[in-house]
Amino acid sequence: MANLLHNSSFFLLLCLLHFVLVAKSQSFIGINYGQVADNLPAPEATAKLLQSTSIKKVRLYGSDPAIIKALANTGIGIMIGVANGDIPPMASDPNFAKGWLSSNVLPFYPASEIIVINVGNEVMSSNDQNLMTNLLPAMQNLQKALNDVSIGGKIKVSTVHSMAVMKQSDPPSSGSFDPNIGDLLKGLLEFNKATGSPFAINPYPFFAYQSDPRPDTLAFCLFQPNAGRVDAGTKIKYTNMFDAQVDAIRAALNAMGFKEVEIVIAETGWPYKGDSNEVGPSIENAKAYNGNLIAHLRSMVGTPLMPGKSVDTYLFAMYDEDLKPGPTSERSFGLFKPDLTMSYDVGLSKANNQVPTPKTPVSPSPNASPKAPVTLSPNPAPKAPVTPTLVPTPNTTVTPLSPKTEKSVKAGVSDSQSQANINVGMLVLSQILWYPMLHMR
């Protein structure tokens, strides 16, 4: 009997450990919810759809009250945004920050779990000196407004960067920021460090592949089998572009003395459709990138410089945005359709979150006219910042090009639920472990 109880206890212990891991495993998967479209479903329908998935965080580019309200009591964490156009008045007038908070946060929080407020989007690569110099004062005034109502430690203040803030990312160990914005960026990072807010950035392996459309680069970008790329500085072999880009950012932060500042991937994705002259967009490639990225995050392997954990990653995007300008690919990033069905299956549904095996990556069409491979150099100037309610187009986030580098579990729960589950689990565990001991005499 004692052996039976012991074996049963061991089995239950394994089940419990799996349960605890499941509870914590999904909180890093988020999604971007853009609204540059005229065919989006009602916010309530989107909230219900999200609850049927393992997506636990949503990023809004603005602060649409209907969406924030619809996400109340769902356990879904919400990133909201201050429009670029609101940065100068927020920087110059603390009362503007208080008013913004009173209108966009306080009526909904904490029922709506707002976790981060991003002040502006890709400001540091906008070349708008007025916005760039006012960004930190705006963030400071908003932080003070949060502190004044005693939620400064609960809601973080940050801003989102494009990969254009990087001077170099090849190899990852040499990652560094553009020295032209060094002083301004240092001030922002000091703010991130002091407040515990994340450094949010938008890496897109898709754009790196567009500029270096070799078959081995596609496999490298899609987490497909490939020869890998060795970082000459660390001798680390990278097997995918995502890890290489994230580690380049980590190296750049470390080099500036900000090892404590956490990275959040505010956007990353792959379009499932494009124009005839665009290299890379296809359903197969989009499914491979997003599906394999999700599997990579769930594995908790991490990156070579940040092993054993997964960075919070917000997939781009919830829906297509049919009013966005530019090539077809700009309107073809949606993981879901307006009728709430999947554009393609990447294993996000709670009913079946096994990542489907993607097909072989689709190489560029012979008729396509790809850009010539580009060696690493400072990033091209991005587009001007978008107006308040618009989502910036993904091609404002061109990455440093062609870096020569690199378990599915059941759907999870929110961070607060995770902790509650863990607490209950530990209580159950103690009973499991003590019971056989009391009966083994």
Side-chain angles (χ1 to χ4, degrees), residues 31 41-55 71 76 318-319 335-342 348-350:
I31 199 163
E44 295 77 12
T46 296
K48 186 174 181 180
L49 171 61
L50 286 167
Q51 289 180 285
S52 73
T53 73
S54 54
I55 295 167
L71 292 170
I76 295 172
M318 187 80 196
Y319 302 113
L335 294 177
F336 298 93
K337 300 176 183 179
D339 65 3
L340 307 178
T341 61
M342 292 180 288
L348 287 172
S349 172
K350 284 183 179 178

Side-chain angles (χ1 to χ4, degrees), residues 1-14 432-433 435-437 439-440:
M1 177 62 72
N3 287 337
L4 177 61
L5 288 171
H6 179 74
N7 292 337
S8 298
S9 299
F10 181 71
F11 174 74
L12 289 171
L13 174 60
L14 290 178
I432 292 171
L433 294 177
Y435 183 80
M437 293 180 186
H439 292 78
M440 287 178 67

Side-chain angles (χ1 to χ4, degrees), residues 401-419:
L401 303 176
S402 189
K404 302 191 176 180
T405 53
E406 176 184 310
K407 156 167 118 182
S408 291
V409 292
K410 295 294 181 182
V413 293
S414 67
D415 292 340
S416 58
Q417 289 172 313
S418 295
Q419 189 57 56

Side-chain angles (χ1 to χ4, degrees), residues 105-138:
V105 174
L106 299 184
F108 313 107
Y109 182 85
S112 296
E113 192 179 339
I114 298 168
I115 54 176
V116 177
I117 304 173
N118 291 313
V119 179
N121 188 64
E122 300 188 347
V123 171
M124 297 308 293
S125 52
S126 69
N127 293 323
D128 186 323
Q129 290 300 314
N130 184 45
L131 289 180
M132 293 165 69
T133 56
N134 277 297
L135 179 57
L136 179 57

Side-chain angles (χ1 to χ4, degrees), residues 33 42-48 51 60 63-76 78 80 103-105 107-114:
Y33 187 170
E44 295 77 12
T46 296
K48 186 174 181 180
Q51 289 180 285
L60 307 181
S63 54
D64 187 320
I67 298 175
I68 296 173
K69 189 173 182 179
L71 292 170
N73 303 309
T74 60
I76 295 172
I78 312 166
I80 62 174
S103 298
N104 298 287
V105 174
F108 313 107
Y109 182 85
S112 296
E113 192 179 339
I114 298 168

Side-chain angles (χ1 to χ4, degrees), residues 196-406:
S197 65
F199 180 82
I201 192 164
N202 301 336
Y204 276 90
F206 167 68
F207 294 117
Y209 172 63
Q210 281 200 312
S211 297
D212 182 12
R214 295 172 295 171
D216 62 317
T217 302
L218 182 61
F220 188 64
C221 289
L222 298 182
F223 300 84
Q224 298 283 4
N226 63 89
R229 302 183 181 186
V230 177
D231 184 323
T234 60
K235 308 305 179 185
I236 293 171
K237 179 185 281 190
Y238 284 84
T239 57
N240 67 81
M241 182 74 78
F242 179 83
D243 282 355
Q245 290 181 324
V246 173
D247 273 2
I249 298 161
R250 181 74 271 164
L253 290 170
N254 292 353
M256 286 189 69
F258 294 98
K259 294 182 179 181
E260 308 91 340
V261 174
E262 294 289 332
I263 296 170
V264 163
I265 305 306
E267 286 180 29
T268 192
W270 198 286
Y272 65 84
K273 183 171 61 176
D275 295 323
S276 60
N277 65 341
E278 289 191 87
V279 180
S282 73
I283 289 179
E284 291 81 4
N285 290 349
K287 184 175 182 178
Y289 177 74
N290 287 307
N292 289 334
L293 171 60
I294 290 166
H296 183 56
L297 294 171
R298 285 175 173 163
S299 75
M300 299 296 287
V301 170
T303 72
L305 295 188
M306 295 183 291
K309 64 178 182 178
S310 292
V311 296
D312 282 6
T313 300
Y314 291 75
L315 305 172
F316 190 88
M318 187 80 196
Y319 302 113
D320 290 343
E321 295 173 86
D322 65 333
L323 299 183
K324 291 179 73 172
T328 297
S329 62
E330 293 291 331
R331 297 176 293 281
S332 306
F333 278 84
L335 294 177
F336 298 93
K337 300 176 183 179
D339 65 3
L340 307 178
T341 61
M342 292 180 288
S343 300
Y344 49 90
D345 188 2
V346 292
L348 287 172
S349 172
K350 284 183 179 178
N352 176 22
N353 67 355
Q354 296 286 331
V355 178
T357 303
K359 296 180 181 178
T360 303
V362 175
S363 297
S365 164
N367 297 325
S369 301
K371 300 176 185 177
V374 180
T375 55
L376 185 66
S377 62
N379 289 273
K383 295 180 180 179
V386 294
T387 52
T389 60
L390 294 182
V391 180
T393 59
N395 58 9
T396 62
T397 59
V398 178
T399 64
L401 303 176
S402 189
K404 302 191 176 180
T405 53
E406 176 184 310

